[in-house]
Amino acid sequence: MKTKKSYEELSKEGAARWEKMLAFAKAQPDYEAIAAEVNAGIDAAFAMERARKEAGLTQAQVAERMGTTQSSVARMLKGRLTLASFARYLAACGKRAEITIHQL
């Protein structure tokens, strides 16, 4: 008969699995480049949402200003965007981006 594990036990096991996966990922030769790419996408999405909220706009309003659909704007926030669409989105919110390049 299986014994039920407590929430704490399951949490510890999950954390241990996460640490093992993270150690494996960090051991890969291209880890830093991939992590930088993922982080850049996350940073862009947060910047876009912050710009929209600061402008007091809905996604639909941003989309209208960009000449696109709300669903297209939602996809952009999931990382499906080009640098040009990122700039257009920010412009629709009355903002612009400055890009800084850092050494990995």
Side-chain angles (χ1 to χ4, degrees):
M1 179 178 206
K2 291 185 180 180
T3 50
K4 291 186 178 183
K5 294 183 181 181
S6 69
Y7 175 78
E8 290 78 20
E9 289 173 312
L10 292 171
S11 294
K12 286 179 184 177
E13 288 177 6
R17 277 194 300 277
W18 174 254
E19 289 298 322
K20 187 176 179 179
M21 288 188 305
L22 185 58
F24 175 80
K26 286 183 175 183
Q28 305 308 307
D30 54 354
Y31 171 80
E32 291 297 327
I34 292 170
E37 185 176 333
V38 169
N39 287 334
I42 292 168
D43 290 346
F46 278 119
M48 292 166 74
E49 275 295 283
R50 187 172 50 251
R52 181 183 65 77
K53 288 178 181 177
E54 287 174 359
L57 299 170
T58 65
Q59 285 185 358
Q61 290 168 322
V62 172
E64 184 177 334
R65 290 179 177 198
M66 291 178 68
T68 190
T69 62
Q70 183 276 327
S71 60
S72 178
V73 166
R75 281 191 300 275
M76 288 179 195
L77 293 170
K78 293 179 181 176
R80 297 181 188 161
L81 75 156
T82 63
L83 188 55
S85 60
F86 177 65
R88 283 184 33 242
Y89 182 103
L90 292 178
C93 297
K95 306 278 185 177
R96 68 179 180 85
E98 291 183 9
I99 298 174
T100 305
I101 299 172
H102 299 275
Q103 185 67 38
L104 291 178

